[in-house]
């Protein structure tokens, strides 16, 4: 295997796929109870051990007869005496002689002497009084009028008609769905031989990781362990049996102990993180010492720092640490190998064509799997836009619908370029509504009332930009703006509300903050919003007024504020910094302060407007949003500082 080794060279993606596919993940076979067999793959042929059905049975409710007794009944109905009845699940206690009938239920055993069933809808039972002793001395002479002729075997399922003993029922490689499980049940099979699921060890690495549910120390740079559970779910979806190990730090001895233990117990070991060539990344050294490293690095983005190797009894793949990179590499290279080992077919794939709504630059020389979202304009034309917050952003894939495979020799995609999107699954549907702009608690409530909306919180400036460029269905804009200057003068205003903004301070306002002047004149640490935010615009305008009243330049006032350029992305983030004791004041809303139990110093009221793309006002989801905004007062109920415009 040493001839396959590509230590630390960036491999071509196709070469990387070949190396991963060459790994031996064979887990053998096992027998599982039938109730646990759904989704598993048969390892051996299953033959029928009995006839199904095992007896001639009625296929319809009606009357069992000798077919010859019904000939001519279509034109001249035949009246036959009823000598008994037969129900499903019981042995018949009657035998038909010529010229007799027996009432019979669907699924019941055909009585001896009968060879056909007349359906109940083509009969009429007649009562004719007490018997004179004929017809087996019945107390009551029951007769049935037969109104149609039948042929031998009509409305009867003969023994073995479904499947006969010795017949090949299911072959190896069959995926067991409810249909196959039903057939096996009919054959009396209570356990089946299936391909064993490959056991896949999952080891997240890094001193900074904390399992969800644990306590984080942000000051120490700790983060929750995303990959253990995300990759485990992906392994299970691909047909593997995930085994999650405790995460390990960047210590070679601990790393070696965990990986050797995992390799002894599992067919494949997956690690995430510690795959680059820095001094603290030691995984590849462990692989070299205890096995063989076959590949280090792939010419693809995201996911370049990928490792492939082998232990004595297990395969190994090292995924990058960033969740987007880890899941992308897993989906592209590892999932197919797990599916193959489990005997599962490649999943149904779906691609759709569209055109880029905006341009996107790529890094020439590396193939790129660009995460994208979809939106349809009012005419149904499909637009494609990048949803790339970076490999470290866990929301990138949840906000995307698929990927565009950008070749290594392409350095840019332009608006209007035709692209093919590889959907994450055939079940992916584009969002009904794409909104872009300011984040806001009232807006979150509105979105909850819509079916499958998607909202990109890119600030008021971002919303105006995407509305101007034709990407967004609607933009949510907070604070003052000039529609003509922004190029959105023809946008349709659907509605809006106002919200009170100001400074969020610790509970009880221990520093006695009274307004913006305190930020300028006192040494208060402050957390701002980003330049795209409408709150930031309103703050800057208010500081300009303060500076003008003092006869100084606005820049001078801004430079006096400690932390003015420290921008937080979301509307609650500054307040949460205050709550954590990291700041003395933060830009925010009265509603946020009330929610977090903090103090609030009002500065002003800000208008929030929902603007629609003029070409999409007739889009069904935009009309629905328009109707909701007509009753926006119910949405604002209970939000402190919010009012209907």
């Amino acid at each position: 295997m040493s001839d396959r080794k590509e230590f630390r060279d960036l491999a071509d993606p196709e070469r990387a796929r070949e190396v991963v596919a060459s790994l031996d993940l064979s887990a053998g076979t096992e027998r599982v109870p039938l109730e646990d067999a759904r989704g598993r793959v048969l390892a051996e042929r299953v033959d029928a051990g009995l006839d199904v059905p095992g007896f001639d049975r009625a296929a319809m409710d009606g009357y069992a007869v000798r077919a010859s007794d019904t000939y001519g009944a279509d034109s001249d109905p035949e009246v036959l005496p009823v000598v008994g009845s037969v129900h499903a699940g019981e042995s018949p206690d009657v035998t038909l002689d010529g010229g007799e009938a027996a009432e019979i239920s669907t699924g019941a055993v055909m009585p001896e002497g009968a060879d056909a069933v007349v359906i109940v809808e083509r009969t009429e039972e007649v009562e004719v009084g007490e018997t004179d002793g004929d017809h087996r001395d019945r107390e009551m002479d029951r007769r049935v009028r037969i109104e149609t002729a039948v042929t031998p075997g009509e409305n009867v399922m003969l023994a073995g008609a479904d499947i006969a003993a010795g017949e090949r029922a299911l072959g190896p490689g069959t995926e067991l769905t409810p249909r196959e499980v039903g057939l096996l049940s009919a054959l009396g099979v209570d356990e089946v031989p299936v391909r064993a699921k490959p056991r896949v060890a999952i080891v997240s690495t890094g001193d900074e990781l904390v399992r969800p549910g644990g306590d984080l120390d942000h000051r120490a740079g700790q983060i929750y362990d995303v990959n253990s559970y995300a990759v485990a779910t992906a392994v299970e979806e691909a047909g593997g049996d995930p085994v999650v190990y405790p995460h390990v730090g960047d210590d070679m001895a601990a790393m070696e102990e965990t990986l050797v233990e995992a390799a002894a117990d599992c067919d494949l070991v997956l690690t995430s993180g510690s795959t680059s060539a820095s001094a603290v990344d030691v995984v590849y050294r462990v692989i070299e010492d205890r096995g063989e490293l076959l590949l280090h690095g792939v010419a693809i983005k995201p996911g370049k720092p990928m490792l492939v190797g082998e232990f004595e009894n297990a395969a190994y793949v090292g995924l990058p640490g960033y969740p987007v990179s880890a899941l992308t590499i897993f989906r592209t290279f590892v999932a197919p190998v797990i599916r193959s080992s489990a005997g599962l077919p490649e999943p149904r794939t779906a691609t759709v064509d569209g055109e880029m709504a905006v341009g996107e630059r790529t890094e020439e020389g590396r193939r790129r799997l660009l995460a994208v979202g979809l939106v349809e304009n009012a005419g149904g034309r499909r637009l494609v836009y990048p949803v790339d917050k970076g490999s470290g952003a866990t929301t990138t894939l949840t906000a995307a619908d698929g990927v565009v495979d950008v070749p290594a020799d392409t350095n840019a995609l332009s608006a209007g370029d035709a692209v093919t999107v590889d959907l994450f699954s055939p079940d992916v549907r584009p969002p009904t509504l794409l909104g872009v702009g300011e984040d806001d608690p009232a807006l979150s409530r509105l979105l909850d009332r819509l079916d499958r909306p998607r909202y990109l919180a890119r600030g008021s400036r971002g919303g105006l930009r995407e509305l101007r460029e034709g990407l967004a269905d609607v933009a949510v804009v907070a604070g003052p703006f000039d529609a003509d200057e922004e190029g959105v003068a023809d946008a349709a205003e659907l509605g809006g509300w106002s919200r009170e903004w100001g400074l969020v301070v610790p509970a009880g306002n221990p520093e006695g903050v009274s307004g913006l002047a305190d930020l300028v004149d006192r040494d208060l640490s402050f957390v701002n919003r980003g330049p795209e935010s409408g709150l930031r615009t309103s703050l800057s305008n208010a500081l300009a007024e303060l500076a003008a009243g003092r006869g100084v330049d606005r820049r001078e006032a801004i430079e006096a504020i400690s932390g003015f350029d420290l921008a937080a992305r979301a509307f609650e983030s500054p307040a949460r910094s205050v709550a954590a004791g990291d700041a003395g004041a933060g830009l925010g809303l009265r509603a946020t302060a009330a929610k977090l139990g903090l103090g609030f110093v009002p500065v002003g009221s800000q208008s929030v407007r929902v603007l629609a793309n003029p070409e999409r006002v007739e889009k069904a989801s935009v009309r629905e949003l328009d109707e909701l905004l007509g009753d926006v007062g119910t949405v604002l109920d209970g939000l402190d500082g919010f009012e209907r415009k």
Side-chain angles (χ1 to χ4, degrees):
M1 288 178 286
S2 59
D3 60 333
R4 294 187 291 157
K5 185 173 181 179
E6 298 180 25
F7 181 53
R8 300 180 201 171
D9 291 332
L10 283 185
D12 176 88
E14 292 308 316
R15 173 59 179 156
R17 183 174 281 108
E18 291 174 1
V19 173
V20 176
S22 72
L23 299 175
D24 181 11
L25 269 63
S26 177
T29 64
E30 61 181 344
R31 300 187 71 86
V32 298
L34 188 61
E35 59 265 29
D36 297 330
R38 186 188 67 82
R40 302 299 294 272
V41 176
L42 275 181
E44 303 170 10
R45 186 184 72 246
V46 175
D47 293 338
L50 72 166
D51 290 336
V52 178
F55 51 90
D56 295 345
R57 68 183 183 189
M60 306 285 284
D61 288 342
Y63 292 87
V65 297
R66 289 186 178 182
S68 59
D69 290 334
T70 69
Y71 295 161
D74 292 306
S75 57
D76 183 16
E78 184 76 29
V79 177
L80 301 177
V82 179
V83 298
S85 60
V86 187
H87 300 290
E90 65 182 28
S91 178
D93 59 0
V94 296
T95 300
L96 295 192
D97 294 330
E100 294 179 335
E103 186 179 12
I104 195 164
S105 302
T106 301
V109 178
M110 290 289 290
E112 186 178 346
D115 62 6
V117 172
V118 180
I119 62 174
V120 69
E121 291 84 358
R122 299 307 306 273
T123 67
E124 182 180 2
E125 189 164 334
V126 180
E127 294 183 359
V128 294
E130 293 187 3
T131 180
D132 59 2
D134 293 338
H135 303 301
R136 311 189 188 185
D137 200 22
R138 299 282 178 183
E139 291 183 0
M140 194 73 166
D141 190 0
R142 296 175 60 199
R143 295 178 182 270
V144 63
R145 180 182 292 112
I146 306 295
E147 300 174 347
T148 187
V150 291
T151 59
E154 189 167 345
N155 299 317
V156 177
M157 178 174 278
L158 300 177
D162 192 353
I163 188 169
E167 189 175 348
R168 185 179 189 269
L170 297 170
T174 301
E175 185 176 358
L176 299 178
T177 73
R179 299 185 300 277
E180 288 76 23
V181 170
L183 173 57
L184 292 168
S185 298
L187 294 174
V189 175
D190 63 345
E191 65 175 24
V192 288
V194 295
R195 295 274 290 269
K197 295 181 178 181
R199 285 174 58 83
V200 181
I202 297 163
V203 183
S204 290
T205 68
D207 294 325
E208 74 279 11
L209 298 180
V210 176
R211 282 287 166 86
D215 295 327
L216 282 185
D217 183 354
H218 292 293
R219 293 176 178 83
Q222 291 182 341
I223 58 174
Y224 281 122
D225 176 9
V226 173
N227 288 343
S228 286
Y229 298 113
V231 174
T233 302
V235 166
E236 190 170 26
E237 185 179 61
D241 180 16
V243 182
V244 178
Y245 281 75
H247 78 271
V248 294
D250 297 317
D251 175 78
M252 187 163 178
M255 187 86 70
E256 183 171 17
E257 180 181 357
T258 299
L259 295 187
V260 169
E261 177 187 348
D265 186 50
C266 297
D267 304 296
L268 169 65
V269 178
L270 289 179
T271 64
S272 63
S274 297
T275 54
S276 69
S278 66
V280 298
D281 292 339
V282 297
V283 170
Y284 70 86
R285 298 190 194 126
V286 175
I287 304 305
E288 283 190 309
D289 289 349
R290 302 302 296 257
E292 183 177 11
L293 187 63
L294 307 176
L295 179 150
H296 187 185
V298 183
I300 197 168
K301 181 180 180 181
K304 180 179 73 172
M306 168 185 166
L307 301 176
V308 183
E310 291 177 325
F311 291 103
E312 182 178 354
N313 297 311
Y316 168 77
V317 175
L319 304 174
Y322 283 144
V324 172
S325 296
L327 290 174
T328 300
I329 289 296
F330 179 88
R331 177 176 181 265
T332 304
F333 298 101
V334 185
V337 183
I338 294 176
R339 282 193 294 267
S340 176
S341 176
L344 294 172
E346 284 295 304
R348 291 181 301 125
T349 59
T351 59
V352 295
D353 295 326
E355 64 181 59
M356 293 296 295
V358 295
E360 175 75 2
R361 295 196 63 80
T362 64
E363 183 179 336
E364 190 172 7
R366 284 170 61 190
R367 177 178 165 191
R368 184 175 181 187
L369 301 177
L370 177 65
V372 297
L374 303 174
V375 63
E376 293 179 350
N377 64 12
R381 191 170 90 254
R382 188 178 294 113
L383 302 178
V384 181
Y385 59 92
V387 186
D388 190 357
K389 299 179 182 180
S391 296
T394 57
T395 55
T396 293
L397 291 182
T398 59
D401 299 305
V403 296
V404 171
D405 193 337
V406 184
D409 58 358
T410 300
N411 60 13
L413 295 173
S414 301
D417 282 355
V419 292
T420 297
V421 180
D422 178 15
L423 299 178
F424 289 134
S425 88
D427 300 322
V428 167
R429 294 179 295 167
T432 56
L433 179 85
L434 178 63
V436 185
E438 193 80 2
D439 49 351
D440 180 274
L443 173 67
S444 295
R445 291 185 175 187
L446 272 174
L447 294 174
D448 288 344
R449 301 187 181 195
L450 295 172
D451 176 41
R452 292 188 295 112
R454 178 175 294 154
Y455 191 76
L456 309 178
R458 295 179 176 173
S460 294
R461 291 183 183 276
L464 290 169
R465 180 176 60 252
E466 303 299 0
L467 188 66
R468 182 172 59 247
E469 294 183 355
L471 172 62
D473 293 325
V474 296
V476 180
V477 183
F481 72 96
D482 188 306
D484 289 324
E485 289 184 3
E486 296 289 349
V488 295
D490 57 349
E493 185 167 342
L494 303 183
W497 54 90
S498 65
R499 60 186 189 178
E500 191 174 10
W501 69 277
L503 302 179
V504 180
V505 296
N509 194 4
E511 297 295 328
V513 177
S514 60
L516 295 184
D518 289 323
L519 295 182
V520 177
D521 300 333
R522 297 168 57 183
D523 187 21
L524 285 172
S525 58
F526 175 68
V527 179
N528 204 349
R529 289 295 311 282
E532 299 278 273
S533 168
L535 279 178
R536 172 77 165 251
T537 301
S538 291
L539 173 64
S540 296
N541 291 344
L543 287 172
E545 292 180 9
L546 175 66
R550 294 183 174 188
V552 299
D553 184 73
R554 181 177 70 102
R555 187 74 251 171
E556 183 178 335
I558 288 175
E559 289 176 350
I561 299 175
S562 174
F564 183 88
D565 293 326
L566 180 59
R569 192 190 70 82
F571 71 88
E572 283 192 3
S573 299
R576 290 187 177 275
S577 292
V578 172
D582 296 332
L587 179 61
L589 306 174
R590 178 181 289 277
T592 303
K595 173 184 175 181
L596 299 179
L598 299 170
F600 183 73
V601 179
V603 175
S605 181
Q606 186 181 61
S607 173
V608 180
R609 286 173 277 184
V610 181
L611 307 177
N613 185 323
E615 297 181 358
R616 302 186 200 167
V617 290
E618 295 304 317
K619 191 173 178 179
S621 58
V622 176
R623 292 202 308 269
E624 184 180 1
L625 178 59
D626 191 18
E627 292 175 4
L628 289 173
L629 286 166
D631 191 26
V632 74
T634 60
V635 177
L636 303 179
D637 186 41
L639 281 176
D640 289 353
F642 278 72
E643 293 182 359
R644 181 172 183 167
K645 285 176 58 178

